[in-house]
Amino acid sequence: MKPFSILFFVLVISFTGFSQTTGTITGKVTDSKTGEPLPFCNVFINNTTLSTVTDLDGNFNLPNVPEGGVEVGFSFIGYQAVQKPASIKPGGQFILNVSMVSFEQELSDVEIIAKRDKAWERELRRFKNLFLGNDNLASQCEILNPWVIEFPEDNSTNSFRATAIQPIEIKNNGLGYNLTFDLREFYFTPQYYIIAGATRFVEMDTTAQNIKQSWEKNRQETYKKSPANMFRAMIQNQHNQEGFKLYGNKPGGAETLNMRSDIFANELGKSVIEYNPENLVSPGRRPGEYKIFLKGRIEVHYEKGYSTINTYKDAPYPISWIEVNGNYVNVNSNGVILNQKDVTFSGDMDKRKVSTILPMDYDPPFSLESNTQMAKDANGLQEKVYLHLDRPFYYQGDQLFFKAYMNYSNAQLKKDLSKILYVELISENRDIIIQKKFKIENGQAVGDMFLPDTLNQKKYFLRSYTTWNRNYGPDTYFVKALPVLSPYDRISNSEIPEEKKSRILVDFKPDKNGYQAREKVSLEVYLKDNNGNPVSANLSVSVTDNHFVTPLSLNPTILNGLEIKEIPKHITTDKFTYPIEQDMNISGLFLNDKGKPEAIPFTAYFNNFAASLELQSDAEGKFNLEEMGFYGPIDFTFMALDKKGNSFGKFEMTPRLNPPFFVPESTKMPKITATNEAIFKGVEANTVELEQITVNEEVVRDKTMAIYGKADHVIQGDILMKGGNSTDLLLSLKPYVPGMNVNSFGQVTLRGGATSGSNSLEPMVMVDGAILPGNSAASNINSINPNDVERIEVVTRMASIMGDMGRNGVIAIYLKKGGQPSPILNSATTNKNTIVVDGFAVPNNFYQVSHEDGEESPFGSDERATLYWNPYLITDSENGTFRIEFFMNDSPSPKSVLLEGITIDGTPIRATFVISLGN
């Protein structure tokens, strides 16, 4: 179990919040033994900046105290700190006289120094980490009087305590406060910790404007992600606008939380569901207090922040969990928790320590943002996409990797806008060669695209857009020139135009000045703003070889590609014709045997007949499958039955009309020239004359053609044993497929030829028509007993109908007891009613080559053009850093590092760096 906190310093007794009605507290402070007045005693409202001091007669007057129950703190050197409750009525006066007890024995300076040995210093360092925290704000805090802190001799790893003989004086240079903390209790265990005390805040002052701005920025950022802001927003039902997304465990979902995957999109609706606190907020016991119903373990995603420690790969922001004893959180109007003992935090919110606390009377300047009316006109609903590619150009047969960044004219509407991104490869003749759909999650998408080795036009374009973009015209699309070269082509003009400067400063620090071939590179990157403050950002980074990838900058870059332009006021949403796509909607048409549309009930089977939907066409024969969200290609079999129970009619899918292609004036294609020398040595080296193999194969023709078409090789099960052994199907198959290769990494390839070596080229494996996903091709094949195989069909070419999964060919295995038509389909069912529909493309991982311990490249000579690609990088929110590691290739050329991304507030970032070779 993760440690949780009980933070009494936030609130010790009831406090109704800072209202417009106030009262006054007056009284006198004296010595408990002598009765003498105590002048210059600090008097303050706990956890606020409201304070005063007693006069020479010990009297004090504290005005503007908010209505309700408060706690008054008294602090004076040489006396035990005191906290007293007070109840304030509007315009009233509360009299509070206090007698303070002096310490019976005070340590002299000599005694204090004698006791503060190395063991005490070691305990103090541990105390600071647990008391202040270990983040960037904690590093800017200083305890001014550490000698007042004492540690018992029985402290251990599992039980750590501390006491203070005087209030602890803290200087918080990060938030701009001086704190006086009256420590009541400090106790830490691996399961929980307690920090109990009363705090007086005094705002620091400075004439340096940049320091004031830094304090205010840090205060705002600290408050934004605090539990107080979340609960305040929940009271107003504005928590989503403030960036807090709540989820609860799905009833009847996963039996244990430990069984969840690291992909949140897969868990949503399966093990967790959205938790909406609307109508769960009720009035509390006093005016200005509220009760919020939180049942079970609530998962909180703060989507306006970033986190380097990610619970989910597709949710790179701070995630916390809240559990409440009694199911109710009691808060005041500022969101401050009144029943701290009942509330347990874990995850990001559990990291909050004294360095991050703010006074309860802190009034954030953005507190009214969530109440402002969001503009939902044509200007306010704009969205823009930009794609960061791992390279500026590619070679035939390469894999293109990208990360899509979305920008919104109103960031609060991000959840309400498009969730489907289209990415297209378009030829110079304006033909769409490849089109794929990607799921937009949290304003970004990650994907890839295989560029077939049959591409021979050299000049292509990459286009990306949402359906909603089409309402704003082609100027809002992402369009970039994309040369796709043969190994004998070169980019001849590599001039890098002057670019717009990034507002974020990026510093690259490699662990060495130069590197040898196949040597490991460790590169640390620091991001800061113009004031030197660390920057939280979501990034993607690529490293390319300057020999194989000539340094080249093509418009747009992220610095100009995410700009949203003002549109004329006469353009209004009522004139828009394209919808906001949140889910895939598939539409089609039913025609009877006479070719006429007809209203008819029918069944749609999908996922290899594992599920079905009952649908109805209208009088025009039209039908829709709405709110679809599947990944990869899925076969849909539609069946309409007549009165005799026979299937009839024909189903057609309505083709999607793609927008016309338009090349912006700023999009320029670089000059391409041809040479007689291949850029990859492996082009010649990989050309191996194969021993002639005669394959005796009997082509079996079923009445139903396989979805991938005609196979290039068909091997019957009874001859498989002659090619290998009786237990390894892969070794048995290999001799009968010319060009099939299994390298030392266990990777299977069906095609030879040149490759950049930047990814795996494994074929898709099918068994009786069902795709086997997830594992490698080798493990999928060897999971089958060769004695159970009737035949194996191998497609060595690209099976385009299978989408991205068929880019490297198909190995289709048919079992002796399988491969028969499904009994649900009778003889009247025709093949024309089975249609393959492409869902969201599943992003493939970049293949990271390792030369650790002299490990060889799976492609022989290491001629990788892209050495590193990572679209999931997040800077450390406290110091703005991250680190990448990769191995050099065999090319004696410098390597170029390209970083692009956006900060937490949407500011674009772009930076480059060159890694040199040599010692």
Side-chain angles (χ1 to χ4, degrees), residues 504-509 523-528 882 911 913:
I504 304 302
L505 306 177
V506 182
D507 187 19
F508 297 88
K509 292 185 178 180
L523 182 64
E524 192 155 8
V525 187
Y526 298 78
L527 277 72
K528 295 182 179 181
F882 68 90
F913 181 72

Side-chain angles (χ1 to χ4, degrees), residues 127-309:
F127 172 80
K128 287 180 177 179
N129 284 334
L130 298 174
F131 181 69
L132 298 175
N134 53 11
D135 55 12
N136 183 52
L137 286 178
S139 67
Q140 300 180 66
C141 286
E142 179 184 0
I143 296 180
L144 303 178
N145 58 341
W147 55 83
V148 305
I149 304 170
E150 296 182 337
F151 308 101
E153 295 181 356
D154 60 348
N155 268 347
S156 65
T157 303
N158 294 325
S159 177
F160 184 76
R161 296 181 182 273
T163 59
I165 59 176
Q166 290 285 319
I168 302 173
E169 302 290 337
I170 305 165
K171 186 176 183 180
N172 191 333
N173 293 305
L175 296 178
Y177 292 109
N178 287 315
L179 284 71
T180 301
F181 195 96
D182 296 333
L183 185 66
R184 299 182 190 175
E185 184 179 4
F186 179 89
Y187 183 51
F188 176 87
T189 72
Q191 288 74 37
Y192 70 96
Y193 63 85
I194 298 174
I195 303 176
T199 312
R200 177 170 65 96
F201 290 83
V202 177
E203 286 200 57
M204 297 167 62
D205 194 15
T206 180
T207 57
Q209 193 63 29
N210 62 327
I211 295 179
K212 286 185 177 181
Q213 292 175 352
S214 176
W215 286 344
E216 188 54 41
K217 178 183 177 182
N218 290 340
R219 291 173 187 177
Q220 291 183 25
E221 293 301 322
T222 300
Y223 179 78
K224 281 181 178 180
K225 60 184 179 182
S226 68
N229 185 37
M230 180 183 68
F231 289 127
R232 178 196 61 79
M234 289 171 68
I235 294 172
Q236 302 172 0
N237 196 28
Q238 297 289 329
H239 54 285
N240 286 348
Q241 287 83 346
E242 290 291 335
F244 297 98
K245 196 73 174 180
L246 276 61
Y247 302 92
N249 294 333
K250 181 179 179 180
E255 295 181 2
T256 170
L257 300 175
N258 296 327
M259 294 176 61
R260 292 185 184 175
S261 71
D262 58 357
I263 304 298
F264 184 70
N266 295 342
E267 296 301 317
L268 187 58
K270 177 182 176 183
S271 62
V272 295
I273 57 176
E274 290 192 21
Y275 190 93
N276 190 353
E278 186 179 2
N279 301 324
L280 299 179
V281 179
S282 56
R285 294 181 300 172
R286 299 184 180 92
E289 293 184 4
Y290 300 88
K291 295 168 58 179
I292 301 176
F293 182 72
L294 295 178
K295 185 177 181 179
R297 192 170 188 256
I298 306 302
E299 185 169 305
V300 180
H301 293 201
Y302 180 60
E303 297 186 355
K304 289 189 176 181
Y306 292 123
S307 175
T308 53
I309 303 176

Side-chain angles (χ1 to χ4, degrees), residues 692-706:
Q692 184 174 355
I693 299 177
T694 302
V695 180
N696 297 319
E697 60 181 18
E698 178 184 350
V699 179
V700 179
R701 299 299 182 193
D702 289 345
K703 291 182 180 180
T704 58
M705 177 71 72

